[in-house]
Amino acid sequence: MTSLWNRLDQHAQQQGNAIALQDAITRICYRELLPRIRALANILVGAGTRRLALQLDNGIDWALCDLACAHAGLVVVPVPGFFSAEQRQWLLDSSGADTLIGPPADGWQPLALAPGLSGWRRQVDSPVPLPAGTTKITYTSGTTGQPKGVCLSLKQELTTVHALAERLAGTRVEHHLTLLPLSTLLENLAGLYLPLWLGATATLPGLEEVGFTGSSQLDASRLATALAHCQPQSLVLVPELLRLLTGLCLRQPTLANSLRLVAVGGGRVAPGLLRQARAAGIPAVEGYGLSECGSVVALNSPEYHRPGSVGRPLDHLSVRIDENGEIHVRGGAMLGYLGEPAAPAEIATGDLGRLDADGFLYITGRRKNVQITAFGRNFSPEWVEAEAQGCPAIARLVIIGDGLPTNLALVQPLPGQESALPEQIAALNAQLPDYARIHHWLVPSPGLAEAGLLTANGRPRRDAIRRAYADQIQHLTGVRP
């Protein structure tokens, strides 16, 4: 397979003045890009860097640092902005990072790097050994306070990028806009490496510029302004962003005019939400993946997609479903978790699913989250929670039913929409079998995020939620969890 550097060199020769990267301040054309990457790589090597923790907002500096490490064979450790201070410290300590680009940290010494780029150094005497070939450690958000480091090689990353380029060959994309943090492996590969591989433009605004405040709050008006200004052809979204974008495009249809591809991942998407998005002119396709398998496992394409599925597995991967319904993936396994033995050739994902006769993959839930009601009926809470995405008044819903005769939902309404909840929950129930319906519901106060009952990237901490609401569960269902 052609290297990324050869591709960039080809683009420099064939379309040297085309914009490769841009943010609010800087533009870099393809003729300039590879020299900029090499220059920064030389600076990092000269400074003695071996493992670089990258704690910057989205922008050209983030991209250049990541690419420079890849070019020099250094290990880059993206630091998610949504991690808590304790999680960030855990990342720095566990990864053995010796160089930090971003805000200062206790015990680190200033390091002179490129103009406008703050660096920090520390002595790391015995860093944890890494699997051979590791060039990136991406930390999963996890459900505990100590996220796991997934070790990947550049070859693995580019294998995913090449497979995505092949899957999307029928959709010409010349301009991508990053909305997710570049520290997220999905946006890192699909929003930075893939556009560069294709010779397209990657626009990398800071997260505040597109409306983010914190990890899960988004100003819709600022997002609309960014979309109208940039007019991107492709986006990578999580389900909640798709719902917000759908609402924007229903009110401002011209926002969808430039879009050719909107890939949605990071959580189960309700088929109804995808239908609404497409009706609003958004070319949304669902995909599925996990960091342990190179970020993307399966993806629909705009030309060939099947509603309700996450698409067919990428061509370099094979997927099987075991006797318990769990999805196993072979062909794109990580090198291993940081500090743990090498990964097996086949990754057990922990997700439940099925394959249809044409090879399309369907996700039905998480194996560990399957809830068995007091009447012995099994259901995946992710299914019900995804269906709730189609309720305009509901910002988040978490359902509790394991071991209970009736199900309880914690429902967070959108501002000013609480009065609409009874009607919309009734409509939701009408679409569900009796064992998965919402029999009782309440609005949590404080909210789940404020109470510390969500993971850093917004997934429910289900065991903690059951403990926190044990009294209410007992009162409403007659059973104490």
Side-chain angles (χ1 to χ4, degrees):
M1 184 174 66
T2 304
S3 76
L4 178 61
W5 321 118
N6 287 340
R7 292 283 291 193
L8 295 182
D9 188 52
Q10 292 171 9
H11 297 326
Q13 295 179 36
Q14 297 169 4
Q15 52 176 42
N17 292 328
I19 301 300
L21 304 175
Q22 61 183 1
D23 58 21
I25 300 173
T26 307
R27 288 184 171 185
I28 299 178
C29 67
Y30 274 99
R31 183 176 292 111
E32 302 168 316
L33 182 57
L34 199 48
R36 291 280 296 270
I37 293 170
R38 288 172 176 152
L40 183 53
N42 290 336
I43 291 172
L44 293 173
V45 171
T49 299
R50 293 177 179 269
R51 302 183 190 182
L52 171 69
L54 182 53
Q55 188 177 348
L56 295 175
D57 190 9
N58 282 9
I60 282 180
D61 284 343
W62 198 104
L64 289 178
C65 289
D66 177 70
L67 293 165
C69 286
H71 191 277
L74 307 177
V75 178
V76 65
V77 189
V79 183
F82 53 77
F83 272 14
S84 67
E86 291 78 12
Q87 288 176 323
R88 287 194 294 272
Q89 190 61 51
W90 163 255
L91 178 152
L92 294 173
D93 292 341
S94 62
S95 68
D98 51 57
T99 304
L100 168 65
I101 293 182
D106 292 341
W108 295 67
Q109 302 301 315
L111 175 67
L113 291 171
L117 197 60
S118 299
W120 309 88
R121 282 278 294 170
R122 68 174 177 181
Q123 182 68 32
V124 180
D125 294 325
S126 300
V128 63
L130 300 178
T134 300
T135 54
K136 182 165 289 173
I137 306 173
T138 183
Y139 278 76
T140 62
S141 59
T143 56
T144 67
Q146 294 184 343
K148 283 189 171 184
V150 175
C151 297
L152 299 169
S153 69
L154 180 61
K155 180 180 178 181
Q156 290 174 307
E157 294 180 90
L158 294 181
T159 297
T160 297
V161 169
H162 186 256
L164 287 173
E166 290 186 332
R167 176 58 50 88
L168 300 171
T171 304
R172 184 169 177 80
V173 171
E174 298 167 317
H175 181 200
H176 180 85
L177 174 66
T178 60
L179 294 181
L180 303 180
L182 284 166
S183 58
T184 304
L185 185 62
L186 176 60
E187 189 75 272
N188 188 182
L189 298 186
L192 176 60
Y193 283 39
L194 181 59
L196 294 180
W197 184 267
L198 297 173
T201 298
T203 297
L204 316 169
L207 292 174
E208 285 191 12
E209 296 174 52
V210 295
F212 275 103
T213 55
S215 64
S216 57
Q217 300 296 317
L218 188 64
D219 182 331
S221 63
R222 294 190 72 178
L223 175 60
T225 299
L227 292 170
H229 174 71
C230 295
Q231 297 188 13
Q233 295 171 341
S234 66
L235 302 169
V236 174
L237 305 179
V238 293
E240 181 58 27
L241 275 179
L242 177 63
R243 185 166 75 159
L244 191 149
L245 177 63
T246 300
L248 287 175
C249 290
L250 288 172
R251 294 189 295 273
Q252 299 174 247
T254 56
L255 292 178
N257 288 353
S258 64
L259 295 172
R260 300 175 183 175
L261 171 69
V262 175
V264 189
R268 191 170 185 271
V269 185
L273 176 57
L274 285 170
R275 289 193 295 270
Q276 291 173 17
R278 289 185 165 272
I282 301 168
V285 294
E286 188 176 3
Y288 162 76
L290 59 163
S291 299
E292 290 84 347
C293 297
S295 185
V296 183
V297 169
L299 180 66
N300 284 288
S301 68
E303 300 79 24
Y304 193 40
H305 60 274
R306 186 154 295 177
S309 83
V310 294
R312 292 168 298 146
L314 299 182
D315 291 342
H316 68 293
L317 301 174
S318 62
V319 169
R320 73 175 181 90
I321 312 297
D322 72 12
E323 63 278 7
N324 298 311
E326 184 176 1
I327 300 167
H328 293 248
V329 181
R330 180 180 290 270
M334 61 180 173
L335 299 175
Y337 288 118
L338 181 67
E340 297 187 12
E346 184 175 272
I347 298 294
T349 66
D351 293 311
L352 300 173
R354 63 181 178 87
L355 289 163
D356 69 14
D358 296 317
F360 283 83
L361 179 64
Y362 296 75
I363 309 299
T364 57
R366 288 286 293 170
R367 182 176 182 183
K368 68 178 182 180
N369 291 339
V370 168
Q371 304 200 14
I372 306 175
T373 72
F375 295 98
R377 299 306 303 268
N378 297 7
F379 72 93
S380 292
E382 294 90 350
W383 163 45
V384 179
E385 291 159 5
E387 290 297 325
Q389 295 169 4
C391 299
I394 297 177
R396 179 186 299 277
L397 182 146
V398 177
I399 190 166
I400 303 167
D402 195 40
L404 304 177
T406 51
N407 301 323
L408 166 69
L410 304 180
V411 185
Q412 293 188 189
L414 290 167
Q417 294 293 309
E418 189 164 346
S419 63
L421 291 179
E423 180 180 353
Q424 292 187 19
I425 291 174
L428 174 62
N429 277 336
Q431 305 172 34
L432 299 170
D434 58 359
Y435 60 86
R437 287 176 182 161
I438 297 163
H439 304 101
H440 317 280
W441 57 273
L442 56 86
V443 176
S445 180
L448 297 177
E450 292 78 6
L453 297 175
L454 303 178
T455 67
N457 68 343
R459 292 191 179 97
R461 299 183 186 274
R462 297 188 187 274
D463 290 342
I465 289 171
R466 288 176 68 91
R467 290 193 298 270
Y469 284 87
D471 290 344
Q472 292 92 326
I473 293 171
Q474 182 176 25
H475 173 72
L476 291 169
T477 71
V479 175
R480 190 167 187 85

